[in-house]
Amino acid sequence: MDLFERMLKLSAQGFACAQIMMILTLEAENTEDPDLIRTLGALNNGFRDNGLICGAFTGGACMLSYYAGQGEAVEVADPDYDAMTQELFAWFSAQIGERFGSITCPGILEGDAANKRSRCPDIVEQTFNKAIEILDERDLL
């Protein structure tokens, strides 16, 4: 099953953008964490339909943090962590923002819920691939 098909299957199961990004991340690590996936549900649909930044971006930022952030008191975040999130944000703003005129869920969907099916899977896939690229460039995968 390719990445796009897997994303569609997860969406059909009721997961949304930020959750899908992390499910794919965990699957690459051959692990599961339902508590983490449940937690990321807060980021879906622009912070639970509050009209804020797209969950594909916030899910991508969480992917970066999963590999490069601090997880325990004895751990230190990767020195490039801030630069990685800034790179993802700059890319997202340029690619998605310019394409749709917005980086918020309502702006991307242009007030039409039907656009979710035609736009979101592609945005999630592109953002996932960009986050992987950022991590791979720094040998964090």
Side-chain angles (χ1 to χ4, degrees):
M1 179 180 312
D2 74 1
L3 177 62
F4 194 77
E5 289 173 351
R6 180 68 179 130
M7 290 184 333
L8 291 178
K9 183 177 180 181
L10 290 168
S11 179
Q13 292 173 340
F15 297 106
C17 39
Q19 291 172 302
I20 290 170
M21 298 283 286
M22 189 53 67
I23 290 169
L24 295 171
T25 300
L26 293 173
E27 286 178 351
E29 296 289 311
N30 292 315
T31 190
E32 296 180 359
D33 190 339
D35 293 333
L36 176 59
I37 301 306
R38 189 177 306 105
T39 301
L40 287 177
L43 303 178
N44 292 330
N45 305 313
F47 289 102
R48 303 305 314 155
D49 296 317
N50 285 307
L52 301 174
I53 194 165
C54 171
F57 169 76
T58 55
C62 289
M63 274 179 71
L64 298 177
S65 188
Y66 181 82
Y67 287 100
Q70 179 183 6
E72 299 178 84
V74 296
E75 219 174 10
V76 176
D78 186 280
D80 265 356
Y81 176 58
D82 289 337
M84 293 182 334
T85 57
Q86 290 302 317
E87 182 180 342
L88 183 65
F89 184 77
W91 171 87
F92 194 85
S93 295
Q95 295 298 311
I96 306 306
E98 288 181 21
R99 181 173 164 196
F100 296 106
S102 180
I103 59 171
T104 68
C105 284
I108 291 168
L109 298 179
E110 295 179 327
D112 185 352
N115 283 336
K116 189 176 270 192
R117 286 189 191 157
S118 63
R119 296 179 181 184
C120 295
D122 182 54
I123 293 169
V124 170
E125 182 176 32
Q126 286 183 50
T127 307
F128 181 82
N129 287 332
K130 183 61 181 180
I132 293 292
E133 177 186 310
I134 291 168
L135 291 163
D136 195 39
E137 287 172 351
R138 290 163 175 87
D139 295 321
L140 293 172
L141 292 178

